[in-house]
Amino acid sequence: KAGVTQTPRYLIKTRGQQVTLSCSPISGHRSVSWYQQTPGQGLQFLFEYFSETQRNKGNFPGRFSGRQFSNSRSEMNVSTLELGDSALYLCASSLLSGLTDTQYFGPGTRLTVL
Amino acid sequence: DAKTTQPNSMESNEEEPVHLPCNHSTISGTDYIHWYRQLPSQGPEYVIHGLTSNVNNRMASLAIAEDRKSSTLILHRATLRDAAVYYCILRADTGGFKTIFGAGTRLFVKA
């Protein structure tokens, strides 16, 4: 079974631009979560989607948004990029959305904002 | 949100057991404790999870304190491939499910 895939793997943008990252979950998984990883802040939860509905959102500004499609694929968008948005963005999928569900992480998208 | 506290780093010798501690003194009654690890240049991978009772699987054991304010991940025989950052995580139901990562413990394994 194929794992979680994220595209693109690397991305370079300039301040003020916007970016869209894509995540394809493991087949059959209905929940997708997004995380931001930086050296200073570590891993921080962005949001979680289940069956096309956002179930929860972390403490990030409104510039960060996401969505999930009917095939469970998910995208996250960051508008008006800032230098501080440079990070590894990780996507994780799980079969359902529950307290005991195992999350399977993708390799991440490395975003660099210049 | 409940938080977890872990030592920044730990060191172990190969083939010896490793005990990785985690403090979660503000844990709520329904929060599950999960452990993930992140090898270099990879996304995190699941290790184990539990609620109140100690848990074992092929990778590790999880010992949870009776008051649930702390837990310990036990690797029974560390190998060089176990060198990674280990995250103690609380999975909380806040009307949706939120995963709160701690800062993680970087485990160094010496041959």
Side-chain angles (χ1 to χ4, degrees):
Chain A
K1 188 185 272 191
V4 176
T5 58
Q6 293 187 245
T7 56
R9 292 291 313 277
Y10 302 91
L11 204 50
I12 299 175
K13 292 285 188 179
T14 56
R15 278 184 301 175
Q17 288 187 308
Q18 75 164 18
V19 67
T20 299
L21 311 181
S22 181
C23 172
S24 293
I26 291 172
S27 177
H29 284 194
R30 294 168 61 190
S31 176
V32 172
S33 297
W34 287 89
Y35 298 85
Q36 182 195 65
Q37 186 171 31
T38 60
Q41 298 296 319
L43 268 155
Q44 294 186 284
F45 171 78
L46 278 158
F47 22 67
E48 179 175 7
Y49 288 88
F50 179 73
S51 293
E52 302 179 67
T53 300
Q54 187 179 88
R55 295 290 300 273
N56 215 329
K57 191 177 191 304
N59 297 323
F60 280 82
R63 301 185 296 107
F64 291 81
S65 63
R67 58 178 175 168
Q68 186 181 33
F69 303 95
S70 58
N71 61 358
S72 294
R73 191 177 68 84
S74 177
E75 289 181 348
M76 69 162 281
N77 184 278
V78 187
S79 62
T80 319
L81 284 166
E82 300 177 0
L83 295 179
D85 297 333
S86 294
L88 180 67
Y89 289 89
L90 291 158
C91 162
S93 76
S94 57
L95 194 60
L96 298 172
S97 176
L99 292 173
T100 63
D101 286 292
T102 296
Q103 294 192 308
Y104 296 85
F105 284 80
T109 293
R110 172 76 59 187
L111 172 65
T112 301
V113 182
L114 302 177
Chain B
D1 293 340
K3 290 177 63 175
T4 64
T5 304
Q6 300 175 253
N8 289 334
S9 65
M10 292 185 66
E11 197 173 82
S12 171
N13 293 317
E14 202 175 10
E15 303 294 317
E16 291 185 356
V18 182
H19 291 235
L20 299 165
C22 179
N23 181 285
H24 30 78
S25 58
T26 58
I27 191 171
S28 297
T30 56
D31 292 352
Y32 271 78
I33 303 158
H34 291 242
W35 283 79
Y36 282 72
R37 71 180 186 181
Q38 188 171 23
L39 279 66
S41 302
Q42 294 186 26
E45 64 175 356
Y46 169 80
V47 178
I48 201 166
H49 76 270
L51 181 63
T52 56
S53 305
N54 294 344
V55 185
N56 300 294
N57 66 21
R58 64 175 180 80
M59 286 182 73
S61 295
L62 176 60
I64 301 173
E66 202 168 322
D67 63 6
R68 301 210 328 126
K69 292 183 184 298
S70 65
S71 62
T72 302
L73 177 71
I74 303 164
L75 306 179
H76 296 287
R77 290 179 64 194
T79 70
L80 296 178
R81 288 177 296 180
D82 291 323
V85 178
Y86 286 79
Y87 293 98
C88 170
I89 296 157
L90 300 181
R91 185 90 166 139
D93 182 354
T94 59
F97 297 104
K98 183 179 287 189
T99 301
I100 305 155
F101 276 81
T105 296
R106 183 172 295 278
L107 176 65
F108 297 94
V109 181
K110 296 185 298 183

